[in-house]
Amino acid sequence: MTDFRPQGFRFLPPVVKNLLIINILLFLLDSALRNFGINLTRSLGLYYPLSENFFPTQYFTYLFMHGSFMHLFFNMFALWMFGYTLENAWGSKRFLFFFLFCGVGAGLIQNVVVAYEVWNFTQQGYSAVSVARYMNNAVVIGASGSVYGILLAFGMMYPNMRVYVYFLFPVKVKYLVSFLALLALFSGFGGGGGSNIAHFAHLGGMLFAFILIMYWRRNYRRDNFY
């Protein structure tokens, strides 16, 4: 059994490096523009398709927006830590496709959840104005869906490799990924206590990652995949 120790920043593969740069630059730009009353989330965050703020490209652009420094930091840290190995194993084109595929899938799953909530509101007799207000304010941002997909892929490829949680104690990747998936599931179904975290987007990223990896396993020779 081996311990997983990610490499430094000097030799980052191109996709991971550029994803880090784009996310950081957009976060800084968004923070700066807010001082002038400009909110990039209105344009780049993912809204429900029936919202007046929705545009199809948001299924991609929302992945590069973050609501706080800690939101950005944890997503980028995981992207660097685990994406580094996956891109080197798969190649840059496949890794980029995987990142975007999981992100779009996470957005789709989250909007299915929003659709259910909209339906539930109408069943409870909420006014059309209230439902429209909810749709126009239900926005998702962040690369978490793609990051959870990366975590699942890493766990499927290297299940017995150990990582250090908070740099303190080692745990096998398969247990870490299972814990995160169960936590997202529990939180998504009400255990989150009113959190504004899109837990079902996390699960959606994992689901689409699993589907894509199983497709690759079936349609490509193992030595051409991993």
Side-chain angles (χ1 to χ4, degrees), residues 126-144:
Y126 281 68
S127 68
V129 173
S130 297
V131 173
R133 184 182 300 115
Y134 169 76
M135 289 191 297
N136 291 331
N137 286 282
V139 60
V140 182
I141 55 175
S144 301

Side-chain angles (χ1 to χ4, degrees), residues 145-157:
S146 293
V147 167
Y148 269 69
I150 288 171
L151 288 169
L152 181 76
F154 194 93
M156 292 178 70
M157 292 176 65

Side-chain angles (χ1 to χ4, degrees), residues 19-37:
L19 287 174
L20 290 172
I21 292 172
I22 292 170
N23 275 276
I24 292 170
L25 288 179
L26 272 176
F27 178 77
L28 295 175
L29 178 62
D30 184 41
S31 300
L33 290 178
R34 285 176 186 268
N35 294 325
F36 300 95

Side-chain angles (χ1 to χ4, degrees), residues 6 9 20 71-83 147 164 166-167:
F9 291 94
L20 290 172
H71 187 202
L72 173 73
F73 174 79
F74 283 114
N75 276 343
M76 296 303 99
F77 181 79
L79 173 63
W80 161 71
M81 185 172 183
F82 299 103
V147 167
Y164 284 82
Y166 293 113
F167 306 100

